């Protein structure tokens, strides 16, 4: 710290009459990144019901994750249950037949008892016993045998305990039939909880990490998982109840398989274990729009049955044992209601006529039968754009209580939007920020999220609920980054963003406090410093012809699929115009035009033929992190050998940049990238009923800042500061735990307190009332 470092002064005031929402900070649990099977699900057997198929992922099949030796066949005739018909037959007539399961990256098993469960059917009397072994490489860790004495041709459910003397990694489960023929299905291996003596449902270290977040609510099961890729892929809660072998499996939207071993009952039980309010999300009668053919609606003649399913869900959660679905819940072992208060209808939906119609029907039925339930609507995948605007208009027309906004944006966007909710209509629907993240696992993203969360908390009379996403990610099995919690079989690796979420959730208050701040820094990011034009076609080979930049023509060029770019001079003092004809030579999508500096600096990107060759997007990148600022806009896809003409114009307008894009002569984008400053030092405060003040301070600058806090009290004051900080804004990485300890500092003063706020830090300062 130098003598010239500007000081930060905060004068804490009284509550301003705005209550902080008690439900503000929650979690969103969606089955992405193997979050459930292979993660939260305590069962270590992968594909234990032999239901994997190429529809889940190319190359997968019923024996994925299994190794077969001897005579093993896959069957579906006369199954345990039609919901999971596939099973295997072991023929041990000449030599032993066996199957070995390797779990997810090899099984990790703790010392102590484990319960093996399976369904078995003797095909002939010669099948007298099944040998069960746990192995690690060539070493046998545990062995037992199951006597097969049930009548032939009948499915029987069998159990056995396996005792492990010590922890073991990279283990495998082998099931061997020495003689005869038998069918196997529904194989699971779960550790037995020493406290209850029952097999675990959830992996305890992951539950502990969730519990440490002290969530007010848990949103489940999606996300895009809820409304599915196609009507046949929709998530129906009733098919996830009952015995595991009777639950309907689903191809996962994110390219794997959902066994439904964690279904709706387990979701509700997890909420209860965490002390959190359940928040189910049901489809709004339409499937996801992100598939060929776009969204499809449940046929009108099927809507009464679907609406009944939604109403039955409320009864399952809240109904007494004398009600139909309350009786089902009671029969499943939970006579007490779960206390459902929130129900989401839809997720990131395109606001079509079908969506409006189906949502209205569901909403009207819920209002009529369950007015006590707060319904949450949806406003598209982005915090701007056509679906966002149409979603909000429709929500107001429908008088929806809360609207779900999503925002996977850059750190720059979060710092630029700390006051986003200051001007929201207090009389309209409230807001649920249901999915958000600042694009990376680095410290700069965590600090940007903290800055955005201060804005949410300051406006929590409008922003009633918020949840980061995605929540869980198994290392080596991710479909998306960043994520809040990374994990392997043996480790839980919380990110910097996890610590931000935890710090906010532990530092709640009941009232928003007034404060005065001087010395806060802001940064204006204008046009890129470098102003070149760059042409790229990652994944495709493209010919660029008739190239003109600001009227200067350039020779034809060809870009390769490896992403190597061609740089051209351009972009004068106030404007730049690019005209080009591009023709795809080979590949499946289109190309990109970049305006500005190279990777890692500020630049704009016009992406042509993205998202399955169906869209165009205008994006902006800062500090190596990019996101769209306009679009996606529907685009007639690129065809090999067919030229397309593109014109791009960027011009400075009153401190911001206006970008227009014409494709084949039609205006596709017209966006103003406003020049609002990034708020890099952001401060918020709440008060508890006992008078305690809680101050939150983000310092997303490279300077340590001296901080002086003026409190409302004249006498001696003490406090505690919890500090997340790192030496560099790009500290932290996907799949790794945040590498630095969280600091704690004691504060003492009289009427005021002083401390140094580290560079690149987030601090929570708790000041009990004297």
């Amino acid at each position: 710290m130098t003598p010239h470092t500007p000081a930060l002064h905060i004068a804490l005031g009284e509550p301003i009459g705005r209550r902080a929402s008690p439900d503000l900070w929650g979690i969103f649990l969606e089955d992405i990144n193997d979050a459930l099977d292979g993660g939260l699900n305590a069962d270590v057997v992968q594909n234990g019901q032999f239901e994997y198929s190429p529809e889940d992922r190319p190359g997968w099949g019923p024996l994925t994750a299994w190794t077969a030796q001897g005579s093993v066949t896959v069957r579906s005739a006369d199954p345990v249950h039609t919901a999971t018909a596939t099973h295997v037959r072991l023929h041990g007539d000449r030599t032993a037949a066996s199957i070995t399961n390797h779990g997810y990256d090899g099984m990790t098993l703790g010392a102590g008892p484990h319960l093996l469960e399976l369904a078995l059917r003797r095909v002939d009397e010669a099948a007298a016993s099944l040998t069960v072994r746990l192995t690690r490489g060539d070493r046998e860790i545990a062995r037992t045998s199951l006597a097969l004495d049930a009548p032939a041709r009948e499915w029987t459910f069998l159990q056995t305990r396996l005792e492990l003397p010590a922890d073991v990694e990279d283990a495998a489960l082998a099931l061997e039939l020495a003689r005869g023929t038998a069918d196997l299905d529904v194989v699971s291996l779960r550790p037995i909880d020493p406290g209850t003596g029952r097999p675990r449902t959830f992996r305890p270290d992951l539950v502990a990490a969730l519990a440490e977040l002290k969530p007010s609510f848990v949103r489940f099961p999606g996300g895009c998982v809820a409304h599915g890729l196609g009507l046949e892929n929709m998530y129906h809660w009733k098919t996830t109840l009952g015995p595991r072998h009777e639950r309907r499996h689903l191809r996962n939207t994110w390219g794997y398989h959902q066994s439904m071993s964690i279904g709706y009952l387990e979701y509700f039980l997890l909420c209860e274990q965490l002390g959190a309010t359940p928040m189910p999300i049901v489809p709004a009668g339409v499937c996801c729009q992100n598939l060929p053919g776009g969204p499809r609606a449940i046929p009108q003649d099927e809507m009464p049955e679907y609406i009944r399913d939604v109403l039955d869900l409320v009864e399952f959660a809240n109904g007494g044992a004398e009600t139909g679905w309350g009786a089902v819940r009671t029969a499943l072992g939970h006579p007490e209601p779960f206390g459902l208060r929130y129900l989401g209808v839809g997720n990131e939906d395109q606001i079509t006529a079908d969506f409006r119609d189906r949502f209205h029907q569901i909403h009207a039925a819920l209002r009529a039968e369950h007015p006590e339930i707060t319904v949450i609507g949806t406003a598209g995948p982005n915090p701007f754009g056509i679906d966002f605007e149409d979603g909000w208009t429709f929500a107001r027309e429908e008088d929806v209580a809360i609207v779900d906004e999503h925002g996977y944006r850059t750190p720059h966007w979060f710092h630029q939007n700390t006051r986003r909710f200051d001007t929201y209509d207090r009389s309209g629907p409230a807001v649920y920020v249901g999915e958000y993240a600042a694009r990376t696992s680095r410290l700069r993203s965590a600090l940007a999220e903290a800055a955005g969360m201060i804005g949410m908390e300051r406006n929590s009379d409008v922003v009633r609920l918020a949840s980061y996403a995605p929540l869980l990610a198994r290392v080596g099995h991710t479909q998306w980054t960043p994520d809040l919690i990374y994990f392997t079989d043996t480790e839980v690796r919380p990110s910097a963003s996890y610590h931000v979420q935890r710090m906010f959730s532990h530092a709640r208050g009941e009232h928003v406090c007034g404060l005065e701040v001087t010395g806060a820094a802001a940064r204006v990011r204008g046009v890129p410093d470098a102003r070149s034009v760059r042409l790229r076609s990652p994944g495709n080979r493209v010919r660029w012809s008739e190239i003109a930049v600001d009227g200067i023509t350039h020779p034809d060029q060809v870009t390769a699929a490896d992403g190597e770019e061609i740089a051209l001079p351009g972009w004068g003092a106030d404007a730049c115009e690019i005209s080009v004809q591009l023709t795809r030579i080979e590949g499946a999508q289109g190309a990109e035009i970049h305006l500005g500096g190279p990777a890692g600096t500020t630049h704009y990107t016009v992406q042509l033929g993205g998202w399955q060759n169906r869209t165009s997007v205008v994006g902006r990148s800062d500090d190596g992190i990019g996101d769209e600022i306009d679009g996606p806009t529907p685009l007639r896809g690129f065809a090999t050998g067919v030229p397309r003409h593109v014109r791009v114009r960027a011009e400075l307008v009153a401190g911001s940049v206006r970008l227009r894009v014409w494709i084949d002569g039609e205006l596709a984008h017209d966006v103003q990238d406003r020049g609002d400053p990034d708020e890099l030092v952001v401060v918020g405060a709440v008060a508890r009923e006992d008078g305690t003040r809680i101050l939150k301070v983000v310092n997303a600058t490279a300077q340590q800042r001296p901080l002086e806090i003026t409190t409302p009290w004249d006498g001696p004051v003490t406090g505690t500061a919890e500090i997340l900080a790192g030496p560099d804004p790009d500290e932290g990485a996907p799949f790794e735990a945040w590498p630095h300890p969280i600091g704690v500092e004691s504060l003492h003063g009289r009427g005021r307190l002083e401390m140094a706020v580290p560079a690149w830090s987030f601090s929570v300062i708790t000041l009990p009332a004297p």
Side-chain angles (χ1 to χ4, degrees), residues 479-500:
Q479 297 85 50
W480 181 275
T481 58
D483 304 283
L484 203 65
I485 304 169
Y486 297 103
F487 63 88
T488 66
D489 273 341
T490 58
E491 292 182 302
V492 176
R493 303 176 180 177
S495 65
S497 294
Y498 172 89
H499 291 291
V500 166

Side-chain angles (χ1 to χ4, degrees), residues 376-678:
I376 302 171
T378 182
N382 294 312
F384 60 84
I386 295 173
D387 288 320
F388 178 82
E389 294 167 3
D390 289 351
W392 266 101
T393 297
F394 177 65
R396 292 186 180 99
E397 293 169 355
E398 275 283 306
D399 194 24
V400 177
I402 301 177
V403 175
D404 181 13
E405 291 190 3
H406 293 179
Y408 297 107
R409 315 305 304 161
T410 65
H412 161 63
W413 186 91
F414 278 91
H415 284 296
Q416 200 178 46
N417 281 270
T418 62
R419 302 192 179 276
R420 173 182 177 88
F421 300 108
D422 289 6
T423 56
Y424 267 49
D425 184 359
R426 263 60 189 169
S427 65
V431 176
Y432 168 35
V433 184
E435 300 182 34
Y436 66 94
R439 283 297 186 189
T440 79
S441 297
R442 306 178 206 162
L443 178 59
R444 73 164 72 246
S445 291
L447 298 181
E449 291 153 7
M453 292 169 74
I454 287 173
M456 297 178 204
E457 188 172 60
R458 182 176 64 246
N459 291 283
S460 64
D461 59 326
V462 169
V463 183
R464 305 284 179 81
L465 309 151
S467 52
Y468 181 103
L471 180 65
L472 293 169
R474 183 180 180 90
V475 174
H477 296 250
T478 52
Q479 297 85 50
W480 181 275
T481 58
D483 304 283
L484 203 65
I485 304 169
Y486 297 103
F487 63 88
T488 66
D489 273 341
T490 58
E491 292 182 302
V492 176
R493 303 176 180 177
S495 65
S497 294
Y498 172 89
H499 291 291
V500 166
Q501 296 289 325
R502 179 189 58 76
M503 291 163 72
F504 267 91
S505 196
H506 283 239
R508 301 172 190 251
E510 288 77 40
H511 305 276
V512 177
C513 273
L515 47 78
E516 294 182 5
V517 181
T518 57
R523 171 178 54 180
V524 177
R525 291 180 182 264
V527 297
D529 295 330
R531 300 185 183 181
S532 64
V533 173
R534 294 171 290 123
L535 312 177
R536 301 176 68 237
S537 57
N540 309 284
R541 192 161 172 257
V542 169
R543 174 177 289 107
W544 306 77
S545 57
E546 301 179 16
I547 305 170
V549 179
D550 284 342
I552 301 173
T553 60
H554 298 270
D556 291 1
Q557 304 276 1
V558 173
T559 51
D562 60 8
E564 185 176 351
E565 61 190 29
I566 295 169
L568 304 170
W571 197 327
D574 297 316
C576 175
E577 184 160 316
I578 304 148
S579 177
V580 64
Q581 181 170 278
L582 58 104
T583 306
R584 189 176 71 198
I585 301 170
E586 59 184 1
Q589 299 190 65
E592 297 175 354
I593 300 173
H594 291 237
L595 294 86
T601 65
T602 296
H603 62 264
Y604 296 104
T605 299
V606 179
Q607 183 189 58
L608 305 156
W611 184 248
Q612 302 175 347
N613 195 23
R614 294 166 52 197
T615 65
S616 62
V617 169
V618 175
R620 173 175 171 142
S621 180
D622 297 279
D623 303 312
I625 307 167
D627 210 340
E628 67 267 17
I629 59 173
D630 193 52
T633 297
L635 172 72
R636 176 173 57 88
F638 285 79
T640 299
V642 178
R644 306 288 295 273
H645 185 268
V646 177
R647 181 162 69 99
V648 180
R649 181 170 178 80
E651 54 190 322
L652 297 176
V653 179
S656 61
V657 177
R658 183 185 185 190
L659 281 157
R660 284 176 287 175
V661 180
W662 292 263
I663 302 174
D664 295 329
E666 294 187 7
L667 183 65
H669 299 275
D670 187 351
V671 58
Q672 193 104 346
D673 183 28
R674 70 179 199 265
D676 294 354
D678 290 7

Side-chain angles (χ1 to χ4, degrees), residues 27 206-208 210-212 214-215 218 269-276:
I27 59 176
L206 289 179
V207 172
L210 301 183
E212 183 62 19
K214 296 186 181 297
V218 179
L269 291 174
L270 178 64
C271 293
E272 188 172 72
Q273 188 172 341
L274 296 174

Side-chain angles (χ1 to χ4, degrees), residues 157-175:
F157 287 88
L158 302 176
Q159 296 181 347
T160 188
R161 287 166 65 106
L162 293 164
E163 295 282 346
L164 272 69
D167 295 351
V168 61
E169 297 180 24
D170 199 22
L173 169 69
L175 306 173

